[in-house]
Amino acid sequence: MSEFQGKTAVISGGAEGIGLSVARAVGKQGMNVVIGDIDEPQLKLAEQLLCDEGIEVLALPLDVTKPEQWQQIATSAQERFGKIHMLVNNAGVSGTPGVIEKTNIQDWNWVMDVNLMGVIYGTQTLIPLMKQHGEGGWLINVASMAGMIGVPMGQAYTASKVAVVGMSESWRAELTPQNIQVSVLCPAFVQTRINLSSRNKPSEYQTASDNEQEMSPARAAMAEHMQKVIDRGLAVEVVGERVIEAIRANELYIFTHPNYRTVLQKRFEAVDQAFERAAASPLVSHLLDEEIDGFM
Ligand SMILES: NC(=O)c1ccc[n+]([C@@H]2O[C@H](COP(=O)([O-])OP(=O)(O)OC[C@H]3O[C@@H](n4cnc5c(N)ncnc54)[C@H](O)[C@@H]3O)[C@@H](O)[C@H]2O)c1
């Protein structure tokens, strides 16, 4: 019997895209699936699709930026399925790419509230329940390749995803003794509607520029370029299956794009060279012999 059979997964942003792909993959493994999403019409379509595939599904409205809605998801999931064994913090938004001075604070707040605080609220609500039942489980946070290396013009998105990678590393160290396996999914481009995230932007984050009929030419060109890259991206169906493969192998970092290794290697080389220079500095070189404590 599969290690997933009969257990329950809660997936935020599960109405479409990567969240739905993971829902289908874990459902195929025999898990009960709870999908939460801010987009209720899309959520209904996803519920029907999963049902048609013979997956036990509960679909609930969820805005990940609202802790009380996470609480409702937890209560309803437990009422329907009993224990919760997996949390997939997937809901995310791209924000509006742009230069420093043109990225307004409402956009920063939206991206950080969904991509960072949403992950924190979900984890704070559901992990104690997994600790309580003591059967172990999985915490899968969806970051991005942008969590591994900064994306030009995507400052808020990068900041949120770097934070998700960091928290995942921290939580992995904390939760391994409880038999809760933590992984962080870091895809590059995948064919989803991420480039159209503002379709679900709540009014409290909207600004005058959101309502402008026409985008500036620079922003329009950037959006068009992003769309082309996403259209050429990985087929979304593959991502859920890749997650199953990787969590079976207890991988911390789940990569979907092995071709990005060269990009990261350049970053690692730069980091390594910076350490070389610190080691050669008469100001701090004496620390080379000091013991390191408190890091993984
Ligand atoms: N598609 C890519 O190329 C790509 C690459 C790297 C990382 N990611 C990450 O994958 C995750 C899923 O994105 P996707 O590509 O499937 O995009 P998507 O837009 O297709 O799906 C995102 C889902 O999240 C939901 N959502 C948005 N705001 C929400 C909120 N406040 N509360 C609850 N649900 C909300 C949307 O309604 C949607 O169903 C995101 O975290 C994204 O940053 C995507």
Side-chain angles (χ1 to χ4, degrees):
M1 194 174 79
S2 148
E3 65 270 50
F4 303 106
Q5 184 68 43
K7 294 183 174 165
T8 299
V10 174
I11 303 168
S12 70
E16 65 177 283
I18 291 173
L20 181 56
S21 175
V22 175
R24 294 174 83 176
V26 298
K28 247 171 69 184
Q29 294 296 323
M31 289 191 95
N32 308 310
V33 172
V34 181
I35 49 172
D37 205 289
I38 200 169
D39 186 337
E40 294 192 38
Q42 203 62 39
L43 190 64
K44 283 210 163 33
L45 294 175
E47 181 182 27
Q48 190 59 53
L49 187 141
L50 294 168
C51 240
D52 292 346
E53 292 184 357
I55 295 166
E56 284 293 330
V57 58
L58 176 64
L60 297 165
L62 169 70
D63 178 348
V64 292
T65 69
K66 309 271 188 277
E68 66 281 4
Q69 295 190 17
W70 274 108
Q71 204 51 62
Q72 282 158 10
I73 284 258
T75 307
S76 306
Q78 285 177 309
E79 273 167 16
R80 167 85 182 264
F81 296 123
K83 297 167 188 157
I84 297 166
H85 299 87
M86 181 186 286
L87 167 61
V88 185
N89 280 312
N90 161 77
V93 294
S94 59
T96 310
V99 296
I100 296 166
E101 62 277 21
K102 296 267 181 197
T103 305
N104 64 50
I105 290 302
Q106 284 95 323
D107 205 66
W108 265 102
N109 288 340
W110 178 46
V111 172
M112 298 309 272
D113 283 352
V114 178
N115 296 6
L116 173 59
M117 295 314 296
V119 172
I120 294 169
Y121 296 141
T123 304
Q124 285 202 334
T125 309
L126 295 187
I127 287 298
L129 304 177
M130 287 191 213
K131 282 185 179 172
Q132 252 166 35
H133 66 58
E135 293 176 9
W138 299 266
L139 169 61
I140 300 156
N141 296 319
V142 181
S144 167
M145 197 44 70
M148 293 277 151
I149 189 152
V151 179
M153 306 287 177
Q155 51 207 298
Y157 187 75
T158 298
S160 69
K161 295 302 185 179
V162 168
V164 171
V165 171
M167 290 189 307
S168 303
E169 291 170 343
S170 173
W171 290 337
R172 173 125 165 156
E174 180 182 333
L175 294 174
T176 296
Q178 326 269 341
N179 198 22
I180 298 170
Q181 196 180 299
V182 181
S183 300
V184 58
L185 174 64
C186 299
F189 296 102
V190 180
Q191 291 172 26
T192 69
R193 293 207 290 161
I194 188 74
N195 205 29
L196 303 172
S197 292
S198 51
R199 69 191 186 278
N200 293 321
K201 193 180 199 179
S203 54
E204 71 240 46
Y205 300 107
Q206 306 259 351
T207 60
S209 66
D210 286 305
N211 300 322
E212 276 169 16
Q213 287 298 308
E214 288 186 19
M215 287 190 218
S216 72
R219 207 202 267 177
M222 211 185 307
E224 195 185 331
H225 172 72
M226 285 298 289
Q227 195 55 56
K228 277 194 189 136
V229 183
I230 288 169
D231 289 345
R232 286 199 304 265
L234 183 66
V236 72
E237 301 76 43
V238 179
V239 179
E241 296 300 333
R242 173 72 190 113
V243 167
I244 296 288
E245 180 184 65
I247 61 179
R248 281 211 157 109
N250 194 7
E251 293 182 34
L252 167 57
Y253 309 107
I254 307 180
F255 290 125
T256 50
H257 290 70
N259 48 331
Y260 274 71
R261 186 176 190 170
T262 49
V263 178
L264 281 198
Q265 268 165 348
K266 281 194 192 134
R267 183 184 204 219
F268 297 148
E269 275 162 28
V271 170
D272 206 45
Q273 284 160 13
F275 271 117
E276 287 289 340
R277 290 192 296 276
S281 161
L283 294 171
V284 288
S285 58
H286 62 281
L287 293 176
L288 273 171
D289 301 327
E290 257 189 33
E291 221 175 274
I292 295 169
D293 205 5
F295 280 82
M296 55 192 281

